[in-house]
Amino acid sequence: MAAAAGSGGGSSWKRHIVRQLQLRDRAQGGRFLDLVQAYTKLLEKSSLLVHFTEKLQAESFDLQAPRLGWEASDSGLEPALGSTEGLHALKMKYQGQIAELKDVSGELAYRIIELNKLLKAKGCQLEEQKTRLASLNGRISELEAERQQLEGRAEELGRGNSARKEEYDALRERYRLCEGELRRAAEREYELLERLVQRKAEAAEYQNKKNERVKQAQLSRELKKATKRTVSIDVEPDKVKPEEVTAPVQELVELDGREKLWKRPFRSASATSVTLAQCVDVFKGFLDFRLKRGNSISSVSEAHYRCMPVCLVACLPSRVSDVQEAHFSEVNAVKFSPSSNVLATGGTDRLVRLWNVAGGRLESRQTLEGANGSITSIEFDPSGCQVLAASYNKAVQLWQIRDCKSKETLTGHADKVTAAKFRSTRHQAVTGSRDRTVKEWDLGKGACCRTINVVSYCNDVVCCDNVIISGHHDKKIRFWDSRGPRCTEVIPVEGKVTSLHISQDQMHLLCCSRDDTLKVIDLRMNNVRQVFRADGFKCGSDWTKAIFSPDKSYALVGSSDGSLYLWNMESGKLEAILSGEHRASVNAVAWCFSGHSVVSVDQGRKVVLWK
């Protein structure tokens, strides 16, 4: 069987070679088939020519024989003459045939020459084809070797990729475990920090109580020493003023324990005497009153906070009161002070200008210099004594208004700072930047106390009590708890967020986006409550600012055509369109806290005061 298989295998490759040779002969013979046929015809004509030549030679020999007979014969001229005419006619006939054959042979010779040339050309072409075939066979061999080499390399790379994938899977699993450990460690750290803060608070409270008990015990001992004898007061009746004595006594008695110790003022020495217990109670009440006043925080700024105007009903702007060219180039930001009598504007000329607002006019007050980039955001502190401005030079500038000096420069962002806002106090601030971070700052130290990393550009930020809200380029609004490290809520919107504004009662948030809409978000439910849009309103830039009115009755924003659009919060309808003064896109608007004035700024350097 093996021998049969071997013989069968040998015959198969022989048949394959024979088949290949036949295919090659058929392919190459087809190219020279016309030449072979022409050559065959030429051979046939050559043989015919040889046949005619031999026939002519035989006929010429036959003609020579009668001529010889005529010469040998001496009688009979007419037969000789008759044969001579026949020979002459035959000669002419054959000469004509010879001429024709010569022509045919010449033509055939010419065709033979042409066919020889064609044969030589075909031979050269065949040689070229053979050479090309040999080169192609060599190229095929090289490519085959290269293919085998690449297959080996691909196998090696496949094995390497498999090993890398195994390593990647192992590293990913390790990363997952490490991330879990890190999360647990962070949670434990947060719990430990809370416990530490709680224990510190408990220790401080215990120490305060202990100090208070020590002070009260010491005061009691001193009072006991001072009250071993009876205390009497001698006052002449005409020098006693009841209104001057009654007020402090009644105040001390009310602060002590909600029970009046004296129901009437001192009248005379005989009518007035104070026992030891009453004296101790009075001093204790007075001490508690002083301690309470000592624990309270009061300053000039708090007194100034109480002077902030309160808007009950905002006045709708209807006419232009004043127009100023505030800056040398585009104006990006505008803000009223808490007292509503000072206005701040900032532009791409790197300046912050302060204006007095009085009598429906804008009067230039002073210029704050020191920023090294275009101003993108302006904010007053709650007292109105400081101005915080964000700029394109990756920094935030803090100025004192009274001395026009730069108090602090906050650096740490890696890209343009787009927003800067004060927290609930003048000592804390929050900034947002295009470096995808939101930072919290301690203005007393001038240092960043927390950095929040986000996946998208931050265009604006606002602050509640314990929540930071940021609007981003990826069409999302994010909520951050200042007491925790994570994002607590994400609200998607239809367009890139350009600005955020929170109402004074911190219950609603106004969002302006590049889909040419304003959205009112209910912060109690964290959902979109209203959507404002209007024909003709176009959001002009990525930093267009929209605001609530001070009484939260209206929403105001500027459009790319220079108009101001005002919506009614209660009805949700477009209340008014203010136009005619701006010739460029309106970047920002501001509504004073008293509700009487509105200011708008545009890309054409104008500041417009509306009444």
Side-chain angles (χ1 to χ4, degrees):
M1 293 294 289
S7 62
S11 62
S12 65
W13 68 265
K14 289 179 181 180
R15 284 196 301 272
H16 178 70
I17 291 176
V18 170
R19 192 181 302 111
Q20 292 296 325
L21 290 174
Q22 289 176 353
L23 291 174
R24 190 189 69 176
D25 292 341
R26 192 178 297 119
Q28 294 182 355
R31 300 175 182 175
F32 300 99
L33 184 61
D34 296 337
L35 183 60
V36 171
Q37 291 177 357
Y39 186 70
T40 303
K41 291 179 180 180
L42 184 61
L43 289 177
E44 291 177 354
K45 291 182 179 182
S46 297
S47 61
L48 180 62
L49 182 61
V50 171
H51 176 68
F52 285 148
T53 304
E54 290 177 353
K55 186 176 181 181
L56 287 174
Q57 289 178 358
E59 289 179 353
S60 62
F61 180 73
D62 292 338
L63 289 173
Q64 288 178 2
R67 184 181 297 176
L68 292 175
W70 180 73
E71 288 178 355
S73 168
D74 293 328
S75 61
L77 292 173
E78 292 188 8
L81 290 171
S83 60
T84 301
E85 291 176 357
L87 289 173
H88 182 70
L90 185 61
K91 181 179 178 181
M92 293 299 292
K93 178 182 177 181
Y94 284 120
Q95 283 180 353
Q97 291 179 356
I98 290 170
E100 291 178 359
L101 290 174
K102 285 183 178 179
D103 293 337
V104 172
S105 62
E107 184 180 355
L108 292 174
Y110 180 73
R111 289 190 65 183
I112 288 172
I113 293 172
E114 289 182 350
L115 291 173
N116 285 331
K117 291 181 179 179
L118 183 60
L119 182 62
K120 289 181 180 179
K122 293 291 184 181
C124 294
Q125 187 177 0
L126 181 60
E127 292 296 330
E128 290 178 359
Q129 294 289 339
K130 289 181 179 179
T131 305
R132 185 180 177 188
L133 182 61
S135 63
L136 290 176
N137 288 331
R139 179 63 178 167
I140 288 172
S141 301
E142 293 177 358
L143 291 176
E144 185 68 23
E146 187 176 356
R147 183 183 67 82
Q148 293 178 358
Q149 183 179 0
L150 290 176
E151 285 180 352
R153 186 177 177 185
E155 291 178 357
E156 293 179 359
L157 290 175
R159 291 191 294 270
N161 289 337
S162 300
R164 296 291 185 277
K165 188 176 183 302
E166 292 177 358
E167 293 178 1
Y168 171 75
D169 293 338
L171 288 174
R172 187 173 182 180
E173 184 65 22
R174 185 178 176 185
Y175 170 76
R176 188 180 64 81
L177 296 174
C178 291
E179 187 179 12
E181 294 178 359
L182 178 61
R183 184 171 59 254
R184 289 190 294 272
E187 293 175 355
R188 181 171 176 77
E189 179 184 1
Y190 182 69
E191 292 176 358
L192 292 174
L193 184 61
E194 284 187 344
R195 290 170 59 186
L196 179 62
V197 171
Q198 185 178 1
R199 289 188 178 182
K200 284 187 175 181
E202 292 175 355
E205 185 178 0
Y206 173 75
Q207 188 66 31
N208 290 335
K209 290 181 179 179
K210 183 178 178 181
N211 294 336
E212 186 177 355
R213 286 196 299 269
V214 170
K215 289 181 180 179
Q216 289 182 355
Q218 184 177 0
L219 181 61
S220 298
R221 289 194 297 270
E222 292 178 356
L223 289 175
K224 286 179 181 180
K225 291 180 181 178
T227 57
K228 288 181 178 179
R229 59 183 180 277
T230 303
V231 179
S232 60
I233 301 175
D234 295 332
V235 182
E236 294 180 1
D238 56 349
K239 294 183 180 180
V240 176
K241 295 182 179 180
E243 59 276 9
E244 293 180 0
V245 178
T246 303
V249 172
Q250 290 179 351
E251 180 182 1
L252 292 176
V253 173
E254 291 175 358
L255 288 172
D256 179 37
R258 307 177 185 90
E259 184 177 334
K260 294 184 178 181
L261 297 179
W262 298 311
K263 296 182 180 180
R264 56 185 180 179
F266 297 149
R267 289 183 295 177
S268 65
S270 61
T272 306
S273 63
V274 182
T275 63
L276 176 62
Q278 290 174 341
C279 186
V280 171
D281 290 338
V282 169
F283 275 100
K284 281 185 178 180
F286 184 71
L287 178 62
D288 292 339
F289 176 72
R290 298 295 296 176
L291 288 174
K292 289 177 183 178
R293 288 184 59 86
N295 290 332
S296 64
I297 301 173
S298 61
S299 61
V300 178
S301 61
E302 285 190 350
H304 195 70
Y305 298 165
R306 292 193 294 270
C307 296
M308 289 177 58
V310 177
C311 175
L312 298 178
V313 178
C315 299
L316 290 181
S318 59
R319 61 182 179 84
V320 176
S321 179
D322 193 10
V323 179
Q324 297 285 341
E325 283 201 2
H327 293 264
F328 299 106
S329 56
E330 180 178 348
V331 188
N332 293 330
V334 61
K335 190 72 176 181
F336 273 100
S337 67
S339 60
S340 298
N341 57 1
V342 178
L343 180 74
T345 59
T348 56
D349 57 358
R350 306 179 181 182
L351 299 177
V352 174
R353 297 195 63 184
L354 301 181
W355 307 79
N356 288 327
V357 183
R361 305 291 295 175
L362 295 175
E363 299 177 357
S364 180
R365 175 177 175 176
Q366 60 191 42
T367 301
L368 306 179
E369 300 179 353
N372 294 323
S374 301
I375 303 299
T376 59
S377 173
I378 294 178
E379 184 79 5
F380 280 94
D381 74 328
S383 67
C385 299
Q386 297 182 125
V387 173
L388 188 69
S391 64
Y392 270 17
N393 68 330
K394 309 176 187 179
V396 179
Q397 207 75 23
L398 181 65
W399 285 279
Q400 288 282 0
I401 293 180
R402 60 176 177 268
D403 52 9
C404 296
K405 292 182 180 180
S406 177
K407 180 181 178 182
E408 194 72 48
T409 301
L410 308 178
T411 59
H413 284 289
D415 205 339
K416 302 173 183 178
V417 183
T418 55
K421 301 291 177 67
F422 282 100
R423 294 293 300 273
S424 57
T425 67
R426 60 185 294 182
H427 304 294
Q428 293 178 320
V430 176
T431 60
S433 171
R434 291 199 174 185
D435 63 356
R436 297 182 175 89
T437 62
V438 176
K439 292 181 179 290
E440 295 185 61
W441 302 85
D442 185 345
L443 299 181
K445 299 178 181 178
C448 176
C449 55
R450 182 189 179 194
T451 299
I452 302 172
N453 294 309
V454 199
V455 297
S456 178
Y457 299 157
C458 177
N459 285 336
D460 201 2
V461 295
V462 292
C463 304
C464 296
D465 293 334
N466 294 315
V467 178
I468 300 171
I469 307 174
S470 56
H472 297 273
H473 196 264
D474 63 352
K475 307 177 183 180
K476 292 181 181 178
I477 300 173
R478 292 177 170 86
F479 292 73
W480 311 89
D481 192 339
S482 59
R483 298 165 295 183
R486 298 178 183 174
C487 179
T488 59
E489 187 75 26
V490 177
I491 299 179
V493 292
E494 298 298 328
K496 302 172 185 176
V497 179
T498 65
S499 74
L500 299 174
H501 188 249
I502 192 167
S503 61
Q504 290 189 0
D505 58 5
Q506 297 187 356
M507 294 174 61
H508 294 90
L509 179 71
L510 182 64
C511 167
C512 179
S513 56
R514 288 308 298 268
D515 61 345
D516 302 328
T517 61
L518 299 185
K519 298 176 180 64
V520 179
I521 298 171
D522 191 342
L523 297 180
R524 295 166 295 184
M525 304 299 294
N526 286 342
N527 57 5
V528 178
R529 175 187 171 187
Q530 289 176 302
V531 178
F532 298 137
R533 55 171 56 90
D535 295 336
F537 169 64
K538 298 290 182 182
C539 186
S541 63
D542 286 347
W543 51 88
T544 299
K545 300 294 188 293
I547 60 170
F548 282 120
S549 63
D551 60 351
K552 205 181 67 174
S553 298
Y554 304 97
L556 179 66
V557 69
S559 176
S560 60
D561 61 355
S563 302
L564 272 63
Y565 287 77
L566 187 67
W567 282 273
N568 191 309
M569 288 287 294
E570 183 177 356
S571 63
K573 296 181 180 180
L574 184 64
E575 187 76 20
I577 300 177
L578 306 177
S579 60
E581 191 60 43
H582 290 288
R583 296 291 183 269
S585 177
V586 177
N587 284 336
V589 290
W591 206 316
C592 70
F593 291 92
S594 61
H596 299 302
S597 304
V598 170
V599 172
S600 56
V601 296
D602 63 12
Q603 296 180 4
R605 304 180 294 180
K606 281 187 178 180
V607 177
V608 180
L609 177 63
W610 304 80
K611 285 288 188 178

